[in-house]
Amino acid sequence: MKNFRTVSDIRIERGGAAKLDAHIDGLCANKRVFIVTDAGVHALGLLDGAKAALRGAGYRVEIFDQVVADPPEAVVLRGAGWARDFKAGLVLGFGGGSPMDTAKVIALLAGSDQPITEMYGVGLAMGPRLPLMLIPTTAGTGSEVTNVAILTTGETEKQGIVANALYADRVLLDAKLTTGLPKMTTAATGIDAMVHAIEAYTSLPQKNPLSDALALSALTKLRGAIEDVCKDGQDIEARENMLIGAMLAGQAFSNAPCAAVHALAYPLGGFFHVPHGLSNALVLTGVMDYNLPKADGLYGEIADHLRLGNSGAILIDEMQRIKHATGVPQTLSAVDIPDSAIAMMADDAMTKTRLLINNPRQMTLAATIKIYEDIA
Ligand SMILES: NC(=O)c1ccc[n+]([C@@H]2O[C@H](COP(=O)([O-])OP(=O)(O)OC[C@H]3O[C@@H](n4cnc5c(N)ncnc54)[C@H](O)[C@@H]3O)[C@@H](O)[C@H]2O)c1
Ligand SMILES: [Fe+2]
């Protein structure tokens, strides 16, 4: 049996955040909106239009801006307590993957009594949750349409909550929010989105006709726009294509989950706080080279769809070219990760069985170490 789920209410409007009162219609009965964001997004004034629209329409607005990258569990628990005290009627995640993931779990924790420790894993978070709306300000994670939230537990461990209760009630894509995204974040988050689509397309147990179609159309949009947005961040057309592409990729991997690229990327974020997209970009082509003997056909189908040719190796070359063209770092030393960390990171990557089981070729510890060594 093949299953497919996604968020049922998705809106695309340039400048839509400044009309948020209209876009949250029907979602917040008590008119108390709890906005979850990070200090960077808040300081940039990206919330100003949304806040003004809500307050102008008589909503009470509380802003929790303590989210940090790779959100720690402790921050999520603090936000959930705050949302409860505020008697939030709607949780609005506004930002990149970090604020959106945090908002998802806050909505769960504030809406039910299940302890967070019982939520990690697949299908264990039960809900109910508070009404949830998500507005991405990066074009990368696709978290706005996924049933996944990734938190940092303890000092370094990244753990996922995967549950249908995490699908948001509504999503708004507003490309105007993304025009100021710095070039490196644009490149890294854009490559993250491309990885989601590639890994969904090769996600052997659960790939299905819907995830395949979404992954291919995501890659068409993302490949067409990623270099344009890196050259000219104000190119609103390309920015919107990136947002839509990242969302399509999110819909794909939410149903056909990610695999070894993400498994090998997580320790870079967990131990060394390398941004998620950069971590993926670093290990991407090494994992694809390793996968090639088993994934040649599927990579070739993607290459063919992108009119590059029809061999898997061509897709790997194209991703390498995009990494160079967008200027993302190419080595672990460029992101201050010493060779001495490789063994520890490899051991950690091998624990990501939730992801590794989806890889087209069985990943081994020896191969993981070699992939890290090749980019040291
Ligand atoms: N839930 C999922 O399905 C899913 C999928 C992939 C990744 N993730 C998680 O998402 C997180 C990464 O998210 P991300 O890559 O979007 O980065 P992020 O949310 O951590 O944000 C990165 C930086 O970009 C800044 N920023 C965000 N929007 C901006 C804008 N419009 N203009 C200028 N600056 C802006 C933020 O302030 C922050 O400093 C990781 O924790 C990762 O594990 C989740
Ligand atoms: Fe990702």
Side-chain angles (χ1 to χ4, degrees):
M1 187 176 75
K2 302 288 187 188
N3 284 333
F4 183 84
R5 281 177 193 250
T6 193
V7 172
S8 64
D9 189 343
I10 297 167
R11 298 158 183 221
I12 303 172
E13 186 183 17
R14 295 176 199 173
K19 302 178 197 161
L20 193 57
D21 52 326
H23 284 297
I24 70 165
D25 190 36
L27 280 186
C28 186
N30 71 359
K31 292 209 140 188
R32 300 173 76 86
V33 180
F34 188 76
I35 299 182
V36 179
T37 190
D38 65 41
V41 168
H42 196 183
L44 283 168
L46 293 176
L47 275 166
D48 291 355
K51 255 184 336 195
L54 290 179
R55 290 190 173 137
Y59 286 86
R60 282 277 310 271
V61 178
E62 187 83 342
I63 297 177
F64 177 74
D65 71 356
Q66 297 178 17
V67 178
V68 292
D70 305 307
E73 186 187 74
V75 172
V76 178
L77 292 170
R78 198 182 314 141
W82 192 330
R84 275 183 192 265
D85 291 347
F86 175 64
K87 300 194 174 23
L90 170 73
V91 178
L92 172 67
F94 191 107
S98 302
M100 289 192 288
D101 283 7
T102 304
K104 287 164 149 176
V105 185
I106 286 176
L108 266 179
L109 289 168
S112 81
D113 291 324
Q114 189 180 10
I116 194 166
T117 46
E118 292 176 9
M119 293 181 180
Y120 294 108
V122 180
L124 300 175
M126 297 304 167
R129 58 156 175 74
L130 294 184
L132 174 67
M133 179 164 179
L134 298 172
I135 303 182
T137 64
T138 62
T141 69
S143 173
E144 66 275 13
V145 288
T146 74
N147 59 350
V148 183
I150 311 287
L151 304 183
T152 305
T153 55
E155 287 298 306
T156 54
E157 179 78 356
K158 291 196 82 170
Q159 288 200 64
I161 300 174
V162 184
N164 288 332
L166 289 179
Y167 281 117
D169 297 300
R170 195 170 291 164
V171 163
L172 172 65
L173 303 185
D174 175 357
K176 266 194 171 175
L177 299 173
T178 66
T179 51
L181 199 62
K183 183 182 170 207
M184 194 46 69
T185 315
T186 299
T189 50
I191 291 175
D192 183 32
M194 297 186 83
V195 175
H196 294 156
I198 293 170
E199 294 215 287
Y201 198 77
T202 57
S203 185
L204 287 184
Q206 291 182 64
K207 80 193 237 84
N208 62 70
L210 288 164
S211 66
D212 283 351
L214 291 160
L216 292 177
S217 51
L219 282 163
T220 304
K221 287 217 177 278
L222 294 164
R223 175 172 170 268
I226 190 165
E227 288 169 80
D228 292 342
V229 285
C230 285
K231 280 192 205 101
D232 175 10
Q234 296 297 322
D235 182 341
I236 189 84
E237 198 79 36
R239 286 289 192 188
E240 190 165 271
N241 281 332
M242 290 300 294
L243 260 185
I244 295 170
M247 182 201 65
L248 295 169
Q251 290 176 313
F253 88 83
S254 191
N255 291 278
C258 287
V261 179
H262 273 73
L264 270 64
Y266 275 136
L268 280 60
F271 292 111
F272 295 101
H273 299 291
V274 176
H276 175 75
L278 284 187
S279 311
N280 274 299
L282 278 163
V283 298
L284 169 65
T285 40
V287 174
M288 289 179 82
D289 280 330
Y290 174 77
N291 287 347
L292 191 62
K294 296 276 184 196
D296 189 25
L298 293 172
Y299 288 163
E301 285 174 25
I302 296 174
D304 192 34
H305 182 81
L306 296 175
R307 298 169 202 247
L308 296 167
N310 58 8
S311 87
I314 291 178
L315 180 66
I316 303 177
D317 289 348
E318 175 64 3
M319 292 312 297
Q320 190 61 47
R321 189 193 66 74
I322 289 172
K323 280 169 51 171
H324 276 289
T326 55
V328 293
Q330 304 283 332
T331 60
L332 295 179
S333 56
V335 293
D336 296 327
I337 298 181
D339 294 1
S340 56
I342 287 179
M344 169 184 80
M345 293 195 307
D347 284 341
D348 186 67
M350 294 310 289
T351 67
K352 310 294 175 207
T353 49
R354 171 178 76 82
L355 299 163
L356 292 173
I357 52 166
N358 305 308
N359 206 53
R361 182 178 177 195
Q362 188 175 3
M363 187 50 77
T364 63
L365 180 63
T368 301
I369 291 172
K370 169 112 181 20
I371 290 165
Y372 288 142
E373 282 176 349
D374 286 348
I375 51 164

